[in-house]
Amino acid sequence: MKGSVLFVLIFLFAASFARAAPGPVTLENGVRVVLSENPSTSLAAVCIMMEGGTDGEKPDERGTYGLLSDLILSGTESRTKSDITRELSLLGDSVETYATPGYWAVEGTVPQASLEDFLGLLCDILFFPSLPIEELEKTKRTKIQSLRAETDSPNRLLSDLYREVFYPDLHVSRETRIRNIESVSISHLRSVHDIYFRPDGTVVSIAGALSKEEALEMTERVFGVLPKPPERLQKDNNEHRDAPLPFYRSAGGGVTQAGILVGSRLSGFDRSNEHLLQLACAVLDNSLGGRLFVELREKTGLVYGVHTGYSLEVRPFTLYAVSTSRKKNIKAVEKKTVDVLRMLVRKPPDARELLLAKEYLKTAVNTNACLPVYEARYNARKLVFGEPLRSLDERMRMIDSVTEEELASFIEECFPSRWTTLVVR
């Protein structure tokens, strides 16, 4: 047992190895570069984000911008789809592309020796895709099948209901998204690509086994040759109403288990206080004594699982607790969840709870920081959202410095007395 404890302490000490906060560099053409060295790994992770994303979709475009994430892997001006597949396999075959409301992203991990080749491939994929029409039709069919399959997943149905209630200005029904996808043309997607996939909206984040000087030189050789756009990228964000939320909303799905979400908007929340929000969530749902975990699972067995989450990409921001349960327990789960959330305001975390939440959160942050892809993604998102980059040590100090009074004040200010319950049954 002592040996196991010693191993954990050594692991956390190694993970906390002092590293200065990465300083971003902007190339002449507007590409922003952030580099983070990690001497404990032999791999380098790359995360590239392009400002824009699904938040810019108009109502008749909902569901279509994400198609670009798949299409960019279908060939470029100098590479066929087979060429790309072969090169990715040789480089480690660990590439993921995706779209969020705030950006498109591509990320992957490769051996240090393959970093420049990987950067060159990603640059070609992102900036010079051929976007063949025949691949669009295949991508459409795959996406539509995926959307229709979501009706068998209580979590996906609950996610749909959540977007419908909390973000009605962004949401359209699944069938509307399918119709939009069916009707979108390759010329329209090419115009979307031309608008958003440009150097001055690009963040290149690299973390792990690297020399900052060498990695910056590589990035300049690969991305620095892209021509500087004549005008600065102006992101066209949609406006989202902070309208009153219903007390309760349910949807049928024919699923065997019930999905239950209890949530609220975080009106007035500042993203710089994310560490306080994370600590509040850790008080609620950590498996070592979190209030929701204890009250809903350990004491009563009302749920199969429960966790908290939040969304800070689209304003107004939201906080929620999600659980899965038997259908006969829906009312009991809703009542108990709301009671626990309200009690957090009336009875803030004491010193023991706060210490446990801090250790739980620091372990999660330390663990993620040991994985280059998480560190590269963290740094890229910070730059995309215009937030300060913080070293791992700074993040640890911010968590450690939170007092009982500070967390209690934050909870009182941000946690409402009125919660919205969403149920898929």
Side-chain angles (χ1 to χ4, degrees):
M1 180 67 180
K2 290 182 179 179
S4 298
V5 172
L6 180 61
F7 172 79
V8 171
L9 291 175
I10 292 173
F11 171 79
L12 292 179
F13 176 78
S16 302
F17 185 87
R19 299 196 297 271
V25 175
T26 302
L27 306 185
E28 289 186 7
N29 58 8
V31 173
R32 286 164 289 170
V33 183
V34 57
L35 307 169
S36 177
E37 295 178 82
N38 185 345
S40 65
T41 180
S42 61
L43 298 174
V46 179
C47 179
I48 302 176
M49 292 184 178
M50 325 289 292
E51 290 184 13
T54 59
D55 191 16
E57 294 173 331
K58 300 298 185 291
D60 62 349
E61 299 173 329
R62 300 276 189 247
T64 62
Y65 280 19
L67 295 173
L68 282 171
S69 298
D70 296 319
L71 282 174
I72 59 175
L73 296 175
S74 299
T76 71
E77 296 174 9
S78 60
R79 288 176 167 92
T80 65
K81 184 177 181 179
S82 297
D83 291 336
I84 293 173
T85 301
R86 181 172 60 256
E87 288 186 55
L88 290 177
S89 298
L90 293 173
L91 291 169
D93 205 19
S94 64
V95 170
E96 181 181 4
T97 60
Y98 55 94
T100 78
Y103 52 84
W104 287 271
V106 55
E107 59 186 37
T109 304
V110 295
Q112 182 183 22
S114 302
L115 179 57
E116 187 161 4
D117 290 337
F118 190 48
L119 290 173
L121 175 59
L122 296 185
C123 182
D124 194 30
I125 287 171
L126 289 168
F127 288 96
F128 306 101
S130 54
L131 303 181
I133 189 170
E134 62 273 13
E135 289 297 331
L136 172 60
E137 295 308 314
K138 294 178 185 177
T139 302
K140 283 182 179 183
R141 289 194 293 271
T142 301
K143 184 62 177 177
I144 289 170
Q145 289 172 359
S146 176
L147 284 171
R148 287 177 173 156
E150 288 179 359
T151 57
D152 293 329
S153 167
N155 288 335
R156 295 304 306 172
L157 290 171
L158 189 59
S159 177
D160 239 17
L161 183 59
Y162 160 73
R163 290 195 298 270
E164 176 187 337
V165 172
F166 280 81
Y167 298 105
D169 299 313
L170 273 180
H171 177 80
V172 294
S173 69
R174 182 179 290 102
E175 288 307 314
T176 299
R177 275 176 278 154
I178 289 175
R179 287 197 298 271
N180 291 344
I181 290 170
E182 287 174 335
S183 62
V184 71
S185 66
I186 195 65
S187 61
H188 178 69
L189 290 178
R190 283 173 179 155
S191 69
V192 173
H193 178 273
D194 291 344
I195 291 170
Y196 291 106
F197 284 58
R198 44 190 283 164
D200 60 344
T202 301
V203 171
V204 178
S205 176
I206 310 174
L210 57 92
S211 157
K212 285 188 176 182
E213 293 77 11
E214 293 178 359
L216 181 57
E217 290 175 0
M218 291 179 190
T219 309
E220 287 181 319
R221 283 195 295 269
V222 173
F223 289 89
V225 298
L226 298 171
K228 183 177 181 179
E231 297 179 356
R232 176 70 185 167
L233 171 65
Q234 298 295 326
K235 184 183 174 186
D236 184 19
N237 284 341
N238 289 304
E239 294 295 327
H240 312 296
R241 293 168 291 168
D242 194 0
L245 295 168
F247 279 107
Y248 184 90
R249 184 74 62 83
S250 66
V255 293
T256 56
Q257 301 174 2
I260 305 162
L261 182 149
V262 177
S264 177
R265 292 205 177 103
L266 291 169
S267 300
F269 177 79
D270 190 305
R271 286 176 58 99
S272 64
N273 287 326
E274 185 176 2
H275 65 296
L276 295 174
L277 183 58
Q278 290 174 325
L279 277 174
C281 289
V283 169
L284 289 168
D285 77 349
N286 81 75
S287 58
L288 302 176
R291 293 191 187 186
L292 282 173
F293 182 83
V294 170
E295 294 297 327
L296 273 76
R297 174 142 176 106
E298 292 298 292
K299 285 186 178 180
T300 60
L302 285 172
V303 300
Y304 300 116
V306 59
H307 69 272
T308 57
Y310 55 83
S311 172
L312 302 184
E313 286 203 359
V314 179
R315 293 181 184 273
F317 304 140
T318 55
L319 167 70
Y320 48 82
V322 178
S323 54
T324 53
S325 177
R326 289 174 289 183
K327 294 180 181 180
K328 68 177 184 178
N329 291 335
I330 289 174
K331 288 186 177 179
V333 171
E334 176 196 6
K335 183 179 185 306
K336 179 65 70 174
T337 302
V338 172
D339 286 346
V340 171
L341 292 170
R342 288 175 175 166
M343 182 59 70
L344 191 65
V345 179
R346 296 195 296 269
K347 184 183 176 183
D350 58 24
R352 184 195 67 82
E353 282 185 298
L354 178 56
L355 178 60
L356 183 62
K358 285 181 178 181
E359 294 306 312
Y360 184 83
L361 179 56
K362 287 194 299 182
T363 298
V365 173
N366 265 310
T367 301
N368 285 344
C370 288
L371 301 173
V373 69
Y374 282 99
E375 192 72 0
R377 187 187 305 150
Y378 167 84
N379 290 332
R381 291 184 79 251
K382 287 295 181 181
L383 275 189
V384 165
F385 288 111
E387 297 172 355
L389 294 167
R390 303 187 188 280
S391 69
L392 179 60
D393 284 348
E394 287 178 295
R395 283 175 263 168
M396 295 297 103
R397 286 196 296 270
M398 287 178 68
I399 295 170
D400 276 328
S401 67
V402 175
T403 64
E404 291 177 63
E405 294 74 20
E406 184 181 8
L407 186 57
S409 176
F410 169 79
I411 291 171
E412 182 178 13
E413 180 180 345
C414 288
F415 277 54
S417 58
R418 183 182 184 281
W419 295 85
T420 293
T421 300
L422 307 179
V423 175
V424 170
R425 63 179 81 220

